[in-house]
Amino acid sequence: MKTYDLVVLGGGTAGTQAAAVAHQAGASVAMFNDGELGGLCILRGCMPTKTMLHAAHLAHEAEWPAASGVRSTGLDVDFPAIMANKDAKVERFKRAKAAAIGAGGYEVIDARARFVGHDLVEAAGETYRFTRGAVIATGSVSWVPPIPGLEDVPYLTSDEVMRLTERPASLAVVGSGAVGSELAQFFARIGAEVHLLTRSPVGSKLDADIAGELERMFTGEPRLELYNGVLPVRFEPASGGVRAELADGQALEVEALLMATGRVPDVAGLGLEEAGVELRDGRLTRGPDLRTTNPKIFAAGDATGDELLLHVANWEGAVAARNAIDPAAGHEVEQRLAMEVIFLDPPLAWLGLSEAAARDRGHEVATSLVRFSETGRAITMDAKHGVSKLVADAASGEVLGAQVLGPRADDIIHTVSAIAYYRGTAADILEMPWYHPTLSEVLLGQARDLVQQTRA
């Protein structure tokens, strides 16, 4: 029986980070992974979809130019070429990831491991002992709800979309989270007729003023019809593909159906009971230090079912490894500045506390809301949509959070992140140098508003 200080189940972002951090700390490490290395982000998630979205956004700009004096003279969208370019980028990212893993210094075992005891795992007929700890980082799998008739019709998940070679003429997308929203806009912008069906109104996690702008943006999107808060209640085969009956009594017939209804932890068959690891409502029970109900086993990344984001997986992989090899360390993941981005056009990004969450936490709140159409650089760009909301504590002026829907919001949010990380205030923003004209200057105007409202 081989013995290691740490074993890692899963070779995605969280798993490779945990293995690398533990190895660098001097621990002996084995990482178990069956199939391709790299994880969801590289193989079927953030990187391939951003490649596809880039092409779609360029096509949209060419078809619907915003600048006065620029006219469209026709558009040719080659779907197979877009997907081939995506595949080439994925291969490039996979090679880079494989090289990093190969240089990591830890052992990589091409097999799925399962627990066969409190400190034992089995893989491919061999048994391995871990002396300090184990990290569950097996990622996630697509989940679809049990809607009547779904088993009788063909449907796609985001995984199958990555393998398409022909663009469907029409598509119903069920789910308006990051995956559903991005892919709905992608297909609409490359020529498909898209119906986006949502359980909750779009932007339900956001403050109402941001959610309203997001709904207006979707409503104005060519070839995309938003069914806000309307879900399908039954599916059946149709001559052209799939027929969907909706909760409001309407019916749709589309060529293809995309179920973008979320992902769940990939923990089936891991032998959790034999390891004393509790699973509650499909999620691993764990504490702030990522320790499960077995004190030697930790959970990180998408396998937890919590925040399915790459930067969170990186944080959690590192924290899990450090706590496993040093049980007294007590490291915890940064929770104060939770950040998320949806790569629409324009992008949507948020960080920290919303206005509602800040009030729930007991803050007396000051807010500033600015529309991009009223800011200099966005005016020069003929920006149609965009709003930025900054939230601060009214007593101290400390920046508590932001929600930004507008051009380059995915980058602007990192300026807010740096300010909030060091507990900066609205007054501090006014002391920073700002180049003119830039989109990030929207924050400068908001800081002026907030300083007038705060008592600091």
Side-chain angles (χ1 to χ4, degrees):
M1 182 186 299
K2 288 187 176 182
T3 299
Y4 296 89
D5 293 325
L6 181 76
V7 299
V8 179
L9 282 64
T13 298
T16 55
Q17 180 76 338
V21 166
H23 173 75
Q24 290 163 10
S28 59
V29 181
M31 184 181 78
F32 297 86
N33 184 81
D34 57 329
E36 292 182 293
L37 287 167
L40 177 66
C41 179
I42 286 177
L43 301 175
R44 300 177 303 282
C46 38
M47 303 310 281
T49 56
K50 301 312 160 284
T51 303
M52 295 158 60
L53 285 166
H54 176 63
H57 298 337
L58 289 176
H60 179 78
E61 290 180 7
E63 187 177 11
W64 307 95
S68 178
V70 178
R71 290 175 293 277
S72 174
T73 58
L75 183 67
D76 180 25
V77 174
D78 186 337
F79 183 77
I82 291 173
M83 300 303 279
N85 179 50
K86 177 265 301 179
D87 292 339
K89 297 284 175 52
V90 168
E91 288 302 317
R92 175 180 177 178
F93 295 133
K94 282 168 55 178
R95 288 194 299 270
K97 184 72 172 182
I101 292 172
Y106 49 87
E107 187 170 354
V108 179
I109 299 172
D110 184 14
R112 185 174 174 89
R114 65 181 303 273
F115 294 101
V116 291
H118 279 241
D119 61 352
L120 299 171
V121 298
E122 182 273 332
E126 301 289 337
T127 304
Y128 305 81
R129 184 183 302 278
F130 53 91
T131 57
R132 295 194 186 183
V135 177
I136 301 172
T138 45
S140 62
V141 292
S142 295
W143 174 83
V144 294
I147 299 174
L150 186 59
E151 69 278 6
D152 299 322
V153 299
Y155 65 86
L156 305 166
T157 67
S158 58
D159 291 347
E160 284 83 40
V161 166
M162 295 300 111
R163 296 192 287 270
L164 286 179
T165 56
E166 294 184 6
R167 189 214 70 197
S170 58
L171 178 75
V173 179
V174 182
S176 63
V179 173
S181 296
E182 289 179 2
L183 288 178
Q185 193 177 62
F186 166 73
F187 280 107
R189 290 192 164 187
I190 62 168
E193 294 295 330
V194 176
H195 306 269
L196 178 58
L197 311 172
T198 76
R199 179 181 61 183
S200 303
V202 291
S204 57
K205 294 196 295 185
L206 306 170
D207 285 337
D209 29 33
I210 308 295
E213 181 74 358
L214 180 63
E215 181 176 350
R216 285 188 290 274
M217 188 187 83
F218 275 128
T219 301
E221 186 80 19
R223 293 186 294 270
L224 193 156
E225 186 171 2
L226 174 64
Y227 297 75
N228 216 2
V230 179
L231 278 182
V233 294
R234 179 176 296 278
F235 294 107
E236 60 184 41
S239 57
V242 177
R243 184 177 187 273
E245 296 179 11
L246 308 186
D248 64 357
Q250 297 184 73
L252 296 173
E253 285 196 17
V254 290
E255 182 179 325
L257 171 65
L258 169 58
M259 299 298 293
T261 44
R263 301 183 70 87
V264 295
D266 183 11
V267 294
L270 291 187
L272 299 178
E273 288 188 5
E274 294 190 51
V277 174
E278 181 181 273
L279 194 66
R280 183 177 300 169
D281 296 327
R283 296 188 177 191
L284 294 162
T285 301
R286 59 177 187 160
D289 60 356
L290 310 187
R291 198 182 306 268
T292 69
T293 48
N294 179 331
K296 293 180 70 173
I297 299 176
F298 298 76
D302 288 9
T304 67
D306 293 331
E307 298 292 334
L308 277 62
L309 301 167
L310 181 136
H311 69 281
V312 174
N314 268 319
W315 281 342
E316 292 190 344
V319 167
R322 291 178 182 131
N323 287 337
I325 61 178
D326 182 4
H331 293 287
E332 296 184 8
V333 175
E334 165 67 59
Q335 298 286 348
R336 182 171 62 92
L337 297 178
M339 177 166 50
E340 191 164 348
V341 175
I342 301 180
F343 291 88
L344 299 166
D345 178 27
L348 169 64
W350 63 93
L351 169 86
L353 299 180
S354 65
E355 178 181 359
R359 294 189 190 282
D360 289 344
R361 299 279 183 92
H363 291 276
E364 183 183 349
V365 175
T367 67
S368 176
L369 184 75
V370 174
R371 297 197 174 278
F372 275 79
S373 59
E374 301 167 355
T375 63
R377 181 62 188 278
I379 291 172
T380 70
M381 297 167 61
D382 294 304
K384 293 181 180 179
H385 298 284
V387 61
S388 176
K389 185 171 186 177
L390 206 56
V391 179
D393 181 87
S396 66
E398 180 183 342
V399 174
L400 302 175
Q403 298 179 13
V404 186
L405 171 63
R408 299 176 195 160
D410 49 332
D411 292 315
I412 292 172
I413 200 68
H414 288 92
T415 301
V416 185
S417 177
I419 295 163
Y421 182 81
Y422 291 104
R423 298 191 178 277
T425 66
D428 292 329
I429 295 175
L430 297 184
E431 297 299 319
M432 296 166 56
W434 296 88
Y435 202 87
H436 177 76
T438 59
L439 289 166
S440 58
E441 279 185 300
V442 67
L443 302 176
L444 179 61
Q446 292 181 279
R448 293 192 184 105
D449 290 345
L450 291 174
V451 166
Q452 295 299 315
Q453 300 175 48
T454 61
R455 300 188 297 273

